[in-house]
Amino acid sequence: MRTFAPLAFALVLSGCVLNGNKYQRPRDLEQPWEVTKPRLLAVRAEPAEPRPGDTVVFEALLVDPNDEIDSTLWIACPTDDNLDIAFGCIADSEQIIGIEPFQAPVYTTPTDILDGLEGQDRLEGRYVLVQVTGLPPIDPNDPDIDFEDIDFNQVEAGYKRIVVSEATTPNQNPVLTGVLADGNAVLPGQVIEVDAGQRYDIGVTIDDRSIERYEFLNGDGQIENRIEEPYVTWYTTSGVMVEPATLYPFLEATWEAPDESGTEGTIWAVCRDRRGGQDWLEIPFRVR
Amino acid sequence: MLLLLSLLSAHAQEAPPAPSAPDPSAPDEGADAPEAPAPAPTGQEGPKKGPKSDAPDAPTEDLPIIKGPEILEYVEAEWPPGTKEAGEEAVVKLVIELDETGEVASVDIVEPAGRGFDEAAVDAVLAMKFAPAETEAGPVPVVFEFAYGFRFEEEPPEEAPKPVNLEGRIREMGTRVDLAGVTVVVDGTDLSAKTDAEGRFEIRGVPLGDVTLRLLEQDHVTIEKTVEVVEGEVTIVDLWLRSTSYRDNEVVGVYERKKEEVTRRTITIEEVRRIPGTFGDPIKVIQTLPGAARTPFGTGLLVIRGSNPEDSGVYVDGVRLPIIYHLTGTTSVLSPDLIESVDYLPGGYGVQYGRSMGGVVDIRTKREFSEQGKIVWGTDILDSQVYFEGQIGSKKKPDAPKHQIAIAARRSYLDLFIPIFTRESQFKIKPFYTDYQAKYIAPTPGDQHVSAFFYGFEDILKVSTPDDFAQGTDQDTQGDLKTKYASQRLMFTYENEISDKLVFAASPSLGYDYSNLGLGDEFKLQSKQLVGQLRAELRYTPVTGVEIIPGVDFLGGTYWFDFRSAINLEAASDPLAEREPVGFDGRGSFLSPDLFIKANLRPLGGDDRLLITPGVRFNNYTIFQGGEIIGDKIPPSTTYQVDPRILSRFEIVKGNTIKAATGFYQQPPQPQEALGLGQASSVGYERAWNSSIGFEQQLSPAIKWDIDLFYKKFDNLIVYNDQFSGRGSDAFINGGDGRAYGMEIMARHEPVGRFFGWISYTLSRSERKDGPDQDVYLFDFDQTHIFSAQAGYDLPYDFGISAQAQYVTGNPDSPYNAGIYDADADYYNGFSTGGRNTERLPAFFQTSLRLDKLWTFKTWQFETYVDLLNAVRGVNPEFRIYNYDYSDSAFVRGLPFIPNVGLEAKFWL
């Protein structure tokens, strides 16, 4: 027993040392609010809820802190009623609606997209799926390119739905009107100066008209008057976003500045109205 | 009186005799002392008698006799009529011939005594039983002389007894049990005494002055105590002895049930309570036994021989329970002090167990409580518990049956401590559990048992945030999370041994289950269930070796559930869909009066060496459903199935048993799977054809090992119906199948002496297929290798040390390759180009240590222990989780290194 006890103790200690950090922990994973690589943060369609035959202009908030994205491919296709919404358009030339920076994404909704729908269903409309893919330096016009072979770890891909309808109160994109830092207004494009490691309340203001009222025909066949409930999600290139999402009317999030002096970066605030409308603001900062 | 004189000499007929004593119990040997007394083989009072022998006569040839003949059963001769009264004595000299089996071949009178003594002596010898003489080659015939004496022993003159001047009482420390059979020796004298049933002794004529008493008893520590004996007085002493192992007092679980199952493993309670990592919970030990897969920490699931967690049944006193562990998965819902035994049957069990395709855990509560009364209080890092047991009855009738009761209660304090450690967080997490039990055993005659047992538990988890906390993106998910599960059961047990051939047993019970899951005011799922069960069987033994056991296993009840959500299903999958509240309720009842009959056949004259148990079980259930979710009234649906099974065990030579079993095991669908949506559900029983073969060997009284090979074929497994189209169709169908096969080995050292422990190893594979055109995939808990070892050792001074180690292959995992961003919902959808469960998590390795110490005082005991759980800090990956875009992953780890400190105090009343 005299030799057993020290042996067991040594085994315990060696186990502590050898096994302690063998695998990554969940807390080590990158958080959604951390922008360290190409990220698609939002996609806006204007108008947000077009009618059949309308032309829609798209814009993506595709941030690229390390300049890894060379081009952005846009594809659009109407969806079948029974088709689950997913990354489902076929990348043929008819469905490509834009290749940035060469061709801005513009899409004209089919005039017959609501064919087959009647009455209330036409007011509710039908989805068009828009796919956005940020690509590394390749030539998408190269006829030898096979999109099936694309490594998804090298691209940033996402999608958005647009509702094509004959709604009497079609959705509008929300409009963010300004930035607040600890309650003080920040001018558009102004770089906010912060102290290392300090916490700040970063907020946005929203045009009250963005909080839309609209009608909804519920399952019991009755019309309900509803009010939008927008929310803001927050992203940053450095520092810590203590509250990564805020729900209207709370439009301020606590952010902790990076510890290193001289650090420059960006905070993004993206507002969504839950009906497909989106808007965003960019807040550059520098640590004193 | 009879006096056996001696075995005078022995003659091997074909072998030279050896100079050996025919009976090792004979103290004196030598032909010149033929009438020397020897110990009486029968232990009777009176003149001493016994065989004596000298060296046998000259050898004849070949091998020497290395073992002489022995008297196995001595027979006293009848004194010839009138001789005893006349005071006549005699010695009859005989020559006895034994064959190689020890049978008396002939008896010749060499020196007759006449007067009828010769015939009496010959009759007595012919009735005796002998062991044959032996050479190195084995038993041989032998001839030897034998003197049978008829003698009176002279009575020694009686002395006047000296007065008792020392008396006392001896009790065991801690338990205060009166100790019978303790030898009290007065040092330096030949005076001694033994304690009676009340622990009392008295000694006459003890020398005056200081005398040293030595107290001797094999299960207690020998002590010496000096007392002063005063002239003219009776010195009265009160003495205490320490048990050599108090822990053995707790081994109430050392119980042997007739082995009717192919593989039934019974673990004693004390073994289990000292295994680190079990938190002292006997039921936790199941997860260390062969065939049981390791399940994620905190879940408390039972995955046995490749079956789903819901496929295994847990019974307490014959009544099936829905849940056996509290929400932490670390503690069972029963007090460990109330548990007598835990039987683990991974497969190959009889028809009395049904509605399960997996294994069975059969827990038995104590059937007898301490007469003295005992209170136990225990606490560790999770909870505190108190337990009482005792008997109530008239002191005027000490031998009459008494009322016996036990009461236990436990409460966790995680809800009190966790907020202290999470003050910085805005989330307030409050897990809480409590359980309570009471058992009453009625005073009944010995051939009957009547008891009532009530238990209940409640598990609650609350996660709340401040009202002004604006976390998340969804107004409909801002409320506090609250879950609650509660269950109660009232069980009765009645057993009556009506006759030697007929035993009746019945266990009716009534139970109530309640569950609630809520998220603020926006989401609520509630259910209630009232359950009645009846298990009754008749054990009839028409002839030796045949038992016929018909029985009924009834399960029935009513249920109700209510679901309310602010978010409809469409909105849950489409972020732009308008939300509408959704809600429905459902209600129904079910009846499942299963019947079974089996026979225990022991063809070898009723001997347990060969046991064949054929049986058949008639399964059926009927479901009545209603409520908003059902819609229009639907007719009740009834389903029948039959499970034939046969089990057998054969002890080919003592301690070596082969065993085999095969049969069908079917289970009804879970309630949610059998829900009829506008029409009666067509979902029926799931089925497993389970076969196993094995061997077990008892290497010594303490050590045994066994091996089992099993093969399980699943069919009619319930899977999601991908053709489900809403009301009017079935959400689930019996479309899946699969298989599980493997090998289990276990070697065990029983808690004999200071050491106990076992090692087990399972090699297995379990696969599933969700339809005829689907791919085969690994079962979610498929673990190729499961190795487990645990051992404990009693150190001096009531210290104990134990250790546990476990190595398990990682669970299958379905990897994601990347994520695609949904810009409307602000989250990534993961996608995988691989199949289901095509990879594995890293292997699991965990070692835990425990050190305990017991202090014993005169009226109570105090034990403290330190469990070093996961002492080597194994990584223990339980789940893989991905980052927001599925480009990276990490493992949620299981039990971290935890030093669990526990205390337990026992008070005897």
Side-chain angles (χ1 to χ4, degrees):
Chain A
M1 290 305 295
R2 285 179 184 167
T3 56
F4 173 74
L7 195 63
F9 191 63
L11 185 67
V12 169
L13 285 183
S14 63
C16 295
V17 173
L18 292 174
N19 286 303
N21 293 304
K22 194 173 175 183
Y23 297 106
Q24 189 167 238
R25 293 171 182 273
R27 64 173 179 243
D28 300 328
L29 294 175
E30 197 172 81
Q31 298 298 311
W33 49 263
E34 291 181 88
V35 177
T36 61
K37 59 183 182 181
R39 291 280 302 278
L40 182 61
L41 301 181
V43 179
R44 181 169 53 202
E46 191 59 53
E49 186 173 351
R51 299 173 69 85
D54 283 356
T55 297
V56 186
V57 177
F58 294 97
E59 184 182 1
L61 177 59
L62 178 56
V63 298
D64 184 14
N66 307 318
D67 288 332
E68 296 170 56
I69 296 296
D70 188 66
S71 57
T72 306
L73 177 66
W74 291 77
I75 302 172
C77 62
T79 63
D80 188 278
D81 281 346
N82 294 323
L83 186 70
D84 286 338
I85 299 298
F87 204 74
C89 295
I90 300 168
D92 61 23
S93 57
E94 288 186 6
Q95 296 189 343
I96 294 175
I97 62 169
I99 304 172
E100 294 180 301
F102 312 108
Q103 176 191 343
V106 177
Y107 177 67
T108 301
T109 59
T111 54
D112 60 352
I113 190 169
L114 300 183
D115 286 1
L117 299 181
E118 298 293 335
Q120 184 63 33
D121 290 339
R122 294 182 73 86
L123 299 179
E124 292 188 0
R126 185 170 270 166
Y127 283 140
V128 169
L129 185 65
V130 180
Q131 296 175 191
V132 186
T133 308
L135 298 165
I138 57 171
D139 181 2
N141 292 315
D142 183 348
D144 295 333
I145 287 287
D146 185 350
F147 287 95
E148 296 290 325
D149 295 336
I150 291 176
D151 179 357
F152 278 97
N153 289 315
Q154 292 184 347
V155 303
E156 173 68 354
Y159 60 91
K160 172 180 172 45
R161 307 155 185 83
I162 55 171
V163 181
V164 182
S165 75
E166 295 174 349
T168 52
T169 53
N171 185 37
Q172 309 292 318
N173 282 311
V175 179
L176 298 179
T177 54
V179 175
L180 300 173
D182 276 348
N184 302 313
V186 177
L187 296 175
Q190 180 187 347
V191 177
I192 58 172
E193 300 272 338
V194 295
D195 292 326
Q198 294 300 304
R199 287 193 170 191
Y200 298 88
D201 289 333
I202 307 296
V204 292
T205 55
I206 190 168
D207 187 335
D208 286 344
R209 288 170 294 180
S210 296
I211 317 300
E212 297 171 69
R213 295 173 181 273
Y214 61 99
E215 292 180 346
F216 168 65
L217 186 68
N218 66 24
D220 296 331
Q222 300 187 342
I223 292 178
E224 290 182 21
N225 291 311
R226 292 191 166 186
I227 303 174
E228 287 182 342
E229 296 173 351
Y231 63 94
V232 178
T233 47
W234 300 82
Y235 309 90
T236 181
T237 52
S238 54
V240 176
M241 198 57 77
V242 179
E243 287 167 273
T246 53
L247 180 63
Y248 182 83
F250 301 100
L251 297 179
E252 277 191 347
T254 303
W255 170 72
E256 186 176 302
D259 291 331
E260 296 80 26
S261 273
T263 303
E264 293 184 350
T266 307
I267 296 172
W268 290 275
V270 176
C271 180
R272 290 177 173 82
D273 66 4
R274 296 184 197 280
R275 299 171 67 205
Q278 298 181 26
D279 192 23
W280 57 83
L281 283 175
E282 190 172 289
I283 308 160
F285 66 85
R286 187 166 62 85
V287 181
R288 279 189 282 263
Chain B
M1 301 295 285
L2 293 179
L3 179 65
L4 177 65
L5 294 179
S6 66
L7 284 168
L8 293 176
S9 61
H11 306 260
Q13 290 178 324
E14 297 179 2
S20 62
D23 185 350
S25 66
D28 296 315
E29 299 176 14
D32 56 348
E35 296 187 12
T42 58
Q44 297 172 3
E45 294 293 331
K48 294 174 181 176
K49 47 190 178 296
K52 297 282 292 183
S53 83
D54 64 354
D57 280 352
T60 52
E61 56 186 26
D62 297 329
L63 299 174
I65 288 180
I66 59 172
K67 182 170 178 284
E70 294 178 18
I71 297 176
L72 298 178
E73 194 175 309
Y74 176 79
V75 176
E76 281 193 22
E78 294 284 336
W79 286 66
T83 54
K84 203 169 186 178
E85 295 75 8
E88 296 180 29
E89 293 182 338
V91 174
V92 182
K93 288 191 177 177
L94 308 167
V95 170
I96 301 172
E97 182 186 355
L98 299 183
D99 64 16
E100 65 276 11
T101 66
E103 288 291 317
V104 178
S106 65
V107 181
D108 295 327
I109 299 167
V110 180
E111 292 181 14
R115 295 164 290 169
F117 285 113
D118 305 335
E119 293 78 7
V122 169
D123 289 345
V125 169
L126 287 173
M128 290 182 190
K129 289 186 178 172
F130 294 86
E134 293 180 17
T135 68
E136 284 184 352
V140 293
V142 68
V143 177
F144 59 94
E145 293 184 1
F146 188 88
Y148 201 108
F150 296 80
R151 293 287 176 103
F152 296 109
E153 190 173 78
E154 292 183 2
E155 296 289 330
E158 287 191 5
E159 286 183 20
K162 293 179 179 176
V164 172
N165 60 346
L166 176 65
E167 63 181 48
R169 181 183 181 193
I170 302 176
R171 285 177 285 178
E172 183 178 82
M173 289 180 70
T175 65
R176 294 196 291 175
V177 168
D178 294 324
L179 293 176
V182 179
T183 302
V184 183
V185 177
V186 182
D187 248 10
T189 73
D190 59 354
L191 298 174
S192 67
K194 279 203 171 187
T195 54
D196 61 16
E198 294 180 343
R200 299 186 184 280
F201 70 92
E202 54 183 37
I203 304 177
R204 299 172 183 274
V206 178
L208 302 180
D210 288 345
V211 295
T212 301
L213 303 180
R214 192 180 310 139
L215 311 186
L216 305 156
E217 206 282 328
Q218 62 175 0
D219 294 328
H220 292 80
V221 178
T222 299
I223 66 163
E224 291 184 351
K225 183 84 176 175
T226 301
V227 299
E228 184 183 6
V229 180
V230 181
E231 185 174 11
E233 293 183 10
V234 177
T235 302
I236 300 172
V237 291
D238 214 359
L239 302 170
W240 300 82
L241 283 183
R242 286 169 47 79
S243 170
T244 51
S245 179
Y246 281 99
R247 295 189 171 99
D248 287 349
N249 294 334
E250 294 297 318
V251 188
V252 291
V254 180
Y255 99 132
E256 285 291 331
R257 191 185 300 182
K258 283 187 177 179
K259 289 183 176 175
E260 295 174 4
E261 275 70 35
V262 167
T263 305
R264 175 188 286 268
R265 296 191 168 92
T266 304
I267 303 296
T268 66
I269 301 305
E270 183 54 26
E271 279 177 286
V272 174
R273 296 189 69 175
R274 293 177 59 197
I275 297 299
T278 63
F279 285 83
D281 197 306
I283 302 171
K284 284 293 289 178
V285 80
I286 294 159
Q287 294 173 353
T288 70
L289 298 178
R294 193 191 69 81
T295 53
F297 176 75
T299 61
L301 300 175
L302 281 176
V303 177
I304 299 173
R305 284 189 179 172
S307 294
N308 288 325
E310 66 271 18
D311 295 349
S312 294
V314 178
Y315 296 81
V316 171
D317 291 340
V319 176
R320 188 160 178 171
L321 302 187
I323 285 179
I324 193 61
Y325 293 112
H326 284 298
L327 54 81
T328 59
T330 56
T331 310
S332 69
V333 297
L334 295 175
S335 166
D337 291 289
L338 197 58
I339 296 172
E340 179 174 83
S341 66
V342 180
D343 283 358
Y344 167 66
L345 296 85
Y349 44 82
V351 292
Q352 71 272 34
Y353 300 106
R355 307 185 187 95
S356 299
M357 293 191 300
V360 162
V361 177
D362 195 353
I363 300 161
R364 298 280 165 177
T365 58
K366 288 181 181 175
R367 292 170 63 93
E368 185 177 0
F369 299 126
S370 162
E371 187 175 359
Q372 193 176 4
K374 182 171 76 171
I375 295 174
V376 182
W377 166 78
T379 188
D380 60 24
I381 61 171
L382 295 178
D383 56 45
S384 282
Q385 54 187 300
V386 64
Y387 171 80
F388 164 79
E389 69 172 44
Q391 296 187 2
I392 302 169
S394 170
K395 289 184 178 178
K396 295 177 181 175
K397 299 177 181 175
D399 296 330
K402 294 184 171 60
H403 302 272
Q404 302 181 49
I405 57 170
I407 301 170
R410 164 165 45 196
R411 187 201 193 281
S412 74
Y413 29 67
L414 294 170
D415 55 323
L416 305 177
F417 288 159
I418 286 183
I420 296 174
F421 296 113
T422 57
R423 273 178 297 194
E424 296 296 317
S425 170
Q426 300 195 61
F427 290 94
K428 291 190 174 8
I429 305 170
K430 289 187 172 181
F432 164 82
Y433 62 79
T434 184
D435 60 63
Y436 39 88
Q437 302 92 42
K439 182 163 184 175
Y440 166 73
I441 302 172
T444 53
D447 54 359
Q448 292 182 23
H449 175 83
V450 177
S451 65
F453 178 47
F454 175 74
Y455 95 91
F457 69 89
E458 187 174 277
D459 286 5
I460 296 174
L461 173 64
K462 287 183 189 172
V463 181
S464 58
T465 57
D467 293 339
D468 60 350
F469 187 62
Q471 94 288 2
T473 61
D474 201 332
Q475 191 67 51
D476 291 331
T477 59
Q478 300 291 299
D480 294 347
L481 172 72
K482 181 178 180 181
T483 69
K484 178 178 178 180
Y485 188 87
S487 180
Q488 286 96 28
R489 290 288 184 281
L490 177 60
M491 318 171 190
F492 298 92
T493 302
Y494 173 72
E495 292 173 12
N496 189 358
E497 193 173 330
I498 299 166
S499 71
D500 291 344
K501 295 185 175 182
L502 200 59
V503 178
F504 175 72
S507 306
S509 73
L510 193 63
Y512 175 72
D513 302 320
Y514 171 81
S515 70
N516 181 24
L517 170 64
L519 185 62
D521 297 326
E522 312 302 332
F523 180 90
K524 185 175 71 173
L525 176 59
Q526 261 187 309
S527 72
K528 298 173 186 174
Q529 181 173 252
L530 192 63
V531 183
Q533 296 183 67
L534 171 65
R535 176 178 290 276
E537 63 178 43
L538 199 62
R539 188 174 289 260
Y540 175 53
T541 310
V543 293
T544 301
V546 176
E547 276 182 318
I548 299 171
I549 306 164
V552 59
D553 177 8
F554 171 84
L555 174 69
T558 64
Y559 64 87
W560 169 88
F561 67 86
D562 186 41
F563 173 74
R564 303 289 151 190
S565 171
I567 304 174
N568 49 332
L569 288 176
E570 183 187 6
S573 60
D574 179 358
L576 302 190
E578 285 295 327
R579 295 181 175 179
E580 287 191 89
V582 62
F584 49 80
D585 65 11
R587 63 182 179 275
S589 56
F590 54 95
L591 294 172
S592 177
D594 291 0
L595 303 174
F596 63 85
I597 183 166
K598 68 173 187 174
N600 289 331
L601 308 176
R602 296 179 173 86
L604 301 182
D607 195 327
D608 274 342
R609 282 184 57 215
L610 176 59
L611 172 64
I612 302 169
T613 305
V616 62
R617 182 181 178 99
F618 303 93
N619 306 293
N620 74 95
Y621 70 85
T622 302
I623 300 179
F624 306 85
Q625 294 181 333
E628 294 167 359
I629 192 171
I630 303 301
D632 298 334
K633 188 173 182 180
I634 58 174
S637 61
T638 301
T639 307
Y640 302 90
Q641 286 296 340
V642 177
D643 284 346
R645 301 174 194 171
I646 184 165
L647 297 68
S648 64
R649 299 174 56 87
F650 178 44
E651 189 177 25
I652 41 181
V653 294
K654 188 165 179 58
N656 295 266
T657 303
I658 56 172
K659 49 197 183 175
T662 189
F664 286 111
Y665 296 77
Q666 304 193 65
Q667 68 180 29
Q670 301 293 311
Q672 71 276 12
E673 295 168 340
L675 209 56
L677 300 174
Q679 64 173 15
S681 169
S682 63
V683 174
Y685 281 92
E686 296 179 290
R687 185 171 66 172
W689 179 22
N690 186 355
S691 300
S692 64
I693 185 168
F695 172 75
E696 61 186 40
Q697 185 177 38
Q698 187 86 37
L699 294 173
S700 75
I703 300 174
K704 63 183 177 185
W705 74 281
D706 62 69
I707 181 171
D708 283 286
L709 303 174
F710 68 90
Y711 184 87
K712 197 184 280 189
K713 175 82 177 70
F714 299 104
D715 59 10
N716 296 333
L717 295 182
I718 297 172
V719 295
Y720 179 71
N721 179 13
D722 54 14
Q723 305 297 315
F724 175 59
S725 58
R727 191 173 295 279
S729 63
D730 285 332
F732 296 93
I733 54 173
N734 290 96
D737 58 42
R739 61 176 180 168
Y741 53 95
M743 174 186 72
E744 301 162 354
I745 300 176
M746 183 175 187
R748 182 175 173 200
H749 189 292
E750 303 266 4
V752 175
R754 291 179 175 270
F755 179 80
F756 72 89
W758 66 87
I759 57 174
S760 67
Y761 171 69
T762 304
L763 175 69
S764 69
R765 186 176 177 88
S766 183
E767 300 166 339
R768 297 286 189 280
K769 196 167 78 164
D770 289 346
D773 302 326
Q774 305 286 319
D775 293 331
V776 173
Y777 62 90
L778 287 176
F779 172 55
D780 292 342
F781 291 101
D782 177 70
Q783 295 163 1
T784 309
H785 306 283
I786 306 170
F787 174 81
S788 177
Q790 23 275 312
Y793 190 79
D794 289 339
L795 299 171
Y797 305 106
D798 284 331
F799 278 96
I801 189 168
S802 50
Q804 179 258 0
Q806 194 175 25
Y807 171 86
V808 184
T809 305
N811 280 329
D813 183 42
S814 305
Y816 286 96
N817 300 91
I820 295 177
Y821 185 66
D822 184 337
D824 294 316
D826 187 37
Y827 65 70
Y828 285 78
N829 288 302
F831 73 88
S832 171
T833 56
R836 183 172 173 181
N837 291 345
T838 52
E839 292 188 6
R840 282 189 184 275
L841 298 177
F844 175 96
F845 177 67
Q846 179 174 294
T847 297
S848 300
L849 301 170
R850 174 183 160 121
L851 181 67
D852 52 66
K853 162 70 177 162
L854 179 71
W855 285 272
T856 302
F857 306 96
K858 284 184 179 174
T859 59
W860 67 293
Q861 284 182 324
F862 180 71
E863 183 175 18
T864 182
Y865 58 86
V866 178
D867 267 350
L868 301 178
L869 307 175
N870 193 16
V872 296
R873 294 184 62 192
V875 174
N876 304 346
E878 302 283 15
F879 306 100
R880 184 200 297 269
I881 65 165
Y882 289 84
N883 68 338
Y884 61 90
D885 66 350
Y886 296 88
S887 62
D888 195 8
S889 66
F891 297 112
V892 175
R893 303 180 179 203
L895 187 70
F897 171 71
I898 296 177
N900 175 31
V901 179
L903 309 170
E904 185 176 270
K906 291 181 185 173
F907 304 88
W908 280 268
L909 306 176

